[in-house]
Amino acid sequence: MTALLVAIGGALGAVLRSVTDGEIKLRSRRTWPIATLCINVVGSFVLGLVAALNTSATVTAFVVTGVCGGFTTFSTASVEAIGLVRERRGVTALAYVLASVLVCVSAVLVGMALGRALV
């Protein structure tokens, strides 16, 4: 049953990522990979929130492993950073990597703080 919940959550997260990525790219003319950063920040926040709420193993499997796992994408962020380096935009790549880590970790902390305040 847990594997099925993870699979359904993962499928939902992947579809949400695809739609969100497309919508952000449609509205943004930036050459910076803002869509992936936004997706990873939102996913990090949700993960922190759910972790702090001490939900059941079932909810954690569905939301954290499934939805957040399918929604967020460290691998795409890594490929985008390498792409920036290949374009000889090393400073931009470094800023993107640092922003990805710092902002996502901050989003987890904010989600956890909100979760603790709600409990």
Side-chain angles (χ1 to χ4, degrees), residues 19-29 34-36 38-39:
V19 170
T20 303
D21 184 73
E23 290 297 317
I24 292 172
K25 286 179 178 174
L26 183 68
R27 289 167 173 69
S28 175
R29 305 241 189 286
I34 192 72
T36 303
C38 289
I39 287 165

Side-chain angles (χ1 to χ4, degrees), residues 7-116:
I8 293 168
L12 177 62
V15 170
L16 287 171
R17 175 178 25 150
S18 178
V19 170
T20 303
D21 184 73
E23 290 297 317
I24 292 172
K25 286 179 178 174
L26 183 68
R27 289 167 173 69
S28 175
R29 305 241 189 286
R30 301 194 184 266
T31 59
W32 213 65
I34 192 72
T36 303
L37 180 61
C38 289
I39 287 165
N40 287 340
V41 169
V42 169
S44 295
F45 171 80
V46 170
L47 195 146
L49 177 65
V50 173
L53 290 174
N54 294 318
T55 59
S56 69
T58 303
V59 171
T60 299
F62 177 74
V63 176
V64 172
T65 306
V67 177
C68 290
F71 184 67
T72 60
T73 174
F74 183 78
S75 56
T76 299
S78 299
V79 168
E80 289 171 342
I82 296 301
L84 290 169
V85 170
R86 287 186 176 156
E87 293 171 7
R88 300 190 188 279
R89 297 172 61 198
V91 172
T92 301
L94 180 62
Y96 177 61
V97 169
L98 289 174
S100 292
V101 172
L102 295 175
V103 176
C104 287
V105 169
S106 297
V108 169
L109 291 172
V110 170
M112 292 178 95
L114 178 61
R116 279 191 225 105

